[in-house]
Amino acid sequence: MNNTPRKVKFSTIINILKKKPISIIFGFGFTVFPLFIATILLIIFSSLGNETPKVDYKLISSQGKEITAEIIDIETQYNVTINGVHPTIISYQYSENGKETESKYKVLEERKTEKLEIGNSLQIKELNGNSIMKGLKPYDFQVGFLLLFPIPFLIIGLPFLIYSIRNLKKEVKLYKFGKVFKGQIVSMIPKSGLPISNVGQGIIVHYEYETRNGKKIIGESFTTDFSIMSDKRKDDFVPIFVSDENEEKSCVVPKLQSLINNWNIEFE
């Protein structure tokens, strides 16, 4: 390998990724985007769960002391609907050992709470400063299922993303460390890109070159540099990068990227 790698700018990396647009679109769209959505939903629903204190319902139910509390506020969360039911936050206060304590309790039981009013008494169970409403389990939104949401998308998108990254790493490695050889053009075939945007449009170049041990190789490389069609013809020579580790791996040196990255490679 060359001791000093060639510079490869970020715009060149983007150019490589655009060569295979379907892979990067599926890879990015089915991995990064679902993970982003799941993260946003996780933040939103986690914030909804912070309105009431977390309690150990089973422990308090089994060991807590039953006392009477007074309802001081009832709030129905109309902006949240779970299976057609709106959660209700019941605020209450109670006195324990001469100390007035206020707490909140979120439930998803419209039938059991519709008759409750501010000022009503209700039975609660209290243990070590934490309390629950007797006979009503608290509603605690389980955000864990949101972590399952991206899995089907990841199964589809990861193979595309891995393919794109491997292809990117392979080409960047050639750009940085490949030795400059001359390849004799065998054929140049235009390739269409995506509809409307034409992303992925370019030239498939077949070329022949000889390794250092005299073996002749037919290489294939895809380039988005259309100048090769006007500058070169069949049997002309074009600079190529050849892997120092495996001389059967190669790619055409893109003229525009060579100028952008100051690779100082002769094209004539």
Side-chain angles (χ1 to χ4, degrees), residues 1-7 173-178 263:
M1 284 189 180
N2 297 331
N3 292 327
T4 304
R6 300 181 188 90
K7 179 175 62 176
K173 189 174 183 179
L174 282 171
Y175 285 4
K176 286 185 174 182
F177 301 105
W263 289 337

Side-chain angles (χ1 to χ4, degrees), residues 43-80:
I43 293 172
I44 292 173
F45 284 110
S46 294
S47 65
L48 293 175
N50 293 332
E51 299 162 326
T52 56
K54 299 291 183 182
V55 296
D56 188 334
Y57 177 81
K58 290 183 178 180
L59 179 64
I60 299 174
S61 180
S62 61
Q63 300 182 20
K65 181 173 66 173
E66 187 173 328
I67 57 179
T68 301
E70 180 185 351
I71 298 174
I72 57 176
D73 189 37
I74 299 175
E75 176 190 353
T76 301
Q77 295 185 306
Y78 293 106
N79 61 328
V80 180

